[in-house]
Each structure stands twice: as C-alpha cells, then as structure tokens.
Amino acid sequence: MKRLAVLLPLLLAACAAQPPRATAPVEPEPPKTPALTYAETNLNATLWTQGTVEHDMSYRGIYAQATRQIAVALKQKDWDALPKNERKKPARGLKPAVIVDVDETVLDNSPYQARLIRDGKEFDEFSWDQWCREQIARPTPGALEFAKAAALKGVTVFYLTNRAQHLNEVTLANLRSAGFPVADKENVFLGLGTVVEGCEANGSDKGCRRELIGRRYRVLAMVGDQLGDFIDVDNNTVDARAAATKPYEAWFGERWFMLPNPTYGSWDSAVLGNQRGADAPTKHQIRRDALRTD
C-alpha cells in the first residue's frame, strides 16, 4: 500500500505533463440564407409598381408609342401583328383591331398584391375572386388614352384575359366603369375557356383566341405584360421563351408592346422550372441560384 501511495502521485503528474491529443478542426457551417415569405419577396416589386414615377412613365411611354403606331399601321393595308402561325387568312381588307391583355396591362391589380403583403399571404383563388368582384381596379397609366385613341380611329379594341369565366361579367363591369371602350355589337371580351371552332387551346394559351380575332380582323398592335400575351410557348423554360421571341425581336416596340411587370408571371414560373408547388425555401434557393453575378 505504501508503495502504491508513493507511485500514484508520480503517475498523475506524468499524465498531466502529456500534451493534449490533437483533434481535427471543425469547419464552421456556412450561414444559411433565410427563406423569405411571398410577402417579403414581392415587397419591392409591388412598391415599384405602385409608387414610382419610373413605373408610370414606362407605361405611358410604351402606350404613347403604341398609339403612334396605330396611325402608321392603318396606312399599310398588309400590316398585321398576329404571330405568323395564327394568321389563317390574308389580313388585307379586314377591319382593324388591337388586342390588349387585362390584368396589369389595362387594369392595375397592385392593391391586391399589397393586401397579400399586408396579410402575409400568397395568391389564392378565393381572395382573387373577392378582389375582382370589388370592381375597383384602376386603369394602368396610359392604357385608357390608348384604348380611346384606337376607338376614335375606328379600331376595335379586344380584351383577352385569363381570368376564370365566372369573373367575366364583373371584369367587363370594371372595364366599363374605368372608362374603357367596350363595343356592344362585337364579342370583344375573350376570357379563359372561350371555345374557338377548329382550334384546340393548350391550357391558358391565348393563341386560339387571337386566331379567332384574326379570322375577321387585321391586328394593328398587341399590348401585354407577359410573353403569352403575344405568342404561345410550348415549353415554359427560360431558353424556350428566348427562342420563341427570336423571330419577332423587331416587332417589339413596332407591333408588340411589352409592359414591365416584376410582381408575378410566367417568367417566374420559368425560372422556378415550373415548380410552382414547391415550398418557400426551395423556391427561394432556386431563384438565388438563377442570379447572374458576372
């Protein structure tokens, strides 16, 4: 026992003198970017849409150019703004028309986007229906002047919308109360689900409805905020959209008039790889990964 009592302190001292065993360094985890809610991601876009002179003057400038082009187009009897595959009979000799989209083209729905941001919600059919039924959407800057100028020149204004059919009447009422010319003798309001004999539409594509107009009218100009307001794209990808516009690049600003809309659209679906049902973190990461840094 005496010997153990003598050795024990020596053993403890020897252990204490040993250097600590080296451990592999732990790499710190990269900081995680929080996934923003729909309200947060759409805040700047909606603010720009609602409250900036840059937005309003962009719209007014585009509509002013479209108005000037009506006079040019009326003098050229073969002038036509329909995509070439949608023109089934010669345009010469047909009555003149212009085609406009509704939402964010002639009617401003930014208050609906603002409500979603205020309430921390995403788009849903019920709240959208409620907004449409209020019939208080205002004309976008320059839209009313364009439509009235076209009508005064004897040009029929057609309204193509992808609002659901049960919203047709309230949308027409909103257009009329806002002062837009809506011809009574013509079916100038062509909503989603419009049946076009001899043409099968793919989902919400507008090609068949444009073709229907082209059977009786030559189209002087088209105005919209989405690529689908001008041409159908079979595969909604970034590359396919770019390829579809290539043959018509010279038409933008001459026959086709694209309005800026950063708040929503098929452009975002294309960026997301059409994964609209993905959760917020996934969509947020896809959008970040799509950014170009050079």
Side-chain angles (χ1 to χ4, degrees):
M1 289 294 293
K2 290 182 178 180
R3 187 176 181 184
L4 180 60
V6 173
L7 290 175
L8 186 58
L10 295 174
L11 290 171
L12 291 174
C15 290
Q18 293 296 320
R21 183 176 296 175
T23 58
V26 177
E27 293 289 336
E29 291 187 9
K32 293 182 179 179
T33 303
L36 301 178
T37 65
Y38 175 85
E40 291 167 322
T41 58
N42 215 21
L43 176 58
N44 273 8
T46 302
L47 278 174
W48 184 84
T49 298
Q50 279 196 333
T52 68
V53 70
E54 286 85 355
H55 168 273
D56 291 358
M57 293 307 103
S58 293
Y59 267 60
R60 290 195 181 280
I62 292 167
Y63 270 121
Q65 176 63 11
T67 302
R68 288 190 291 269
Q69 285 300 102
I70 288 177
V72 173
L74 282 170
K75 294 176 182 178
Q76 301 183 33
K77 300 307 180 183
D78 291 316
W79 182 286
D80 189 42
L82 277 188
K84 296 168 184 177
N85 64 309
E86 294 172 12
R87 170 56 64 194
K88 304 301 183 182
K89 62 184 297 185
R92 177 178 281 269
L94 300 179
K95 296 178 291 185
V98 294
I99 299 174
V100 297
D101 172 53
V102 174
D103 295 314
E104 278 51 73
T105 296
V106 297
L107 290 182
D108 171 20
N109 299 293
S110 63
Y112 171 70
Q113 300 294 332
R115 293 179 188 184
L116 294 178
I117 294 168
R118 177 197 65 193
D119 299 336
K121 295 181 178 179
E122 295 196 25
F123 172 89
D124 66 85
E125 296 291 349
F126 179 73
S127 63
W128 172 245
D129 280 16
Q130 287 182 311
W131 161 254
C132 293
R133 292 184 187 282
E134 289 182 45
Q135 303 174 31
I136 60 172
R138 302 173 185 174
T140 58
L144 196 55
E145 294 86 345
F146 168 77
K148 287 182 175 180
L152 282 173
K153 293 180 183 297
V155 178
T156 302
V157 182
F158 282 88
Y159 303 89
L160 267 64
T161 177
N162 279 339
R163 288 188 179 188
Q165 278 194 319
H166 67 273
L167 296 171
N168 284 359
E169 291 305 316
V170 296
T171 306
L172 272 168
N174 195 160
L175 288 167
R176 288 192 172 103
S177 67
F180 286 98
V182 179
D184 293 325
K185 296 181 180 180
E186 296 280 352
N187 183 20
V188 298
F189 184 86
L190 302 177
L192 186 64
T194 299
V195 177
V196 180
E197 186 177 350
C199 188
E200 186 70 31
N202 179 26
S204 60
D205 285 353
K206 294 182 174 181
C208 286
R209 283 172 277 170
R210 290 190 295 262
E211 180 185 321
L212 179 64
I213 295 169
R215 293 174 185 178
R216 297 180 58 197
Y217 292 84
R218 71 183 183 102
V219 180
L220 309 184
M222 299 199 295
V223 188
D225 68 305
Q226 305 285 332
L227 183 57
D229 297 330
F230 305 92
I231 190 171
D232 291 344
V233 181
D234 293 334
N235 187 16
N236 188 46
T237 66
V238 173
D239 290 342
R241 288 161 59 83
T245 61
K246 197 69 176 175
Y248 297 97
E249 285 181 349
W251 284 26
F252 286 96
E254 181 190 68
R255 304 170 194 234
W256 294 358
F257 299 89
M258 179 75 78
L259 299 163
N261 176 12
T263 59
Y264 68 88
S266 54
W267 63 267
D268 188 41
S269 298
V271 169
L272 291 172
N274 300 299
Q275 299 183 62
R276 298 300 303 175
D279 58 33
T282 300
K283 288 194 283 190
H284 182 63
Q285 191 60 52
I286 293 172
R287 291 184 179 115
R288 283 181 61 85
D289 291 344
L291 291 172
R292 182 170 57 83
T293 57
D294 57 13

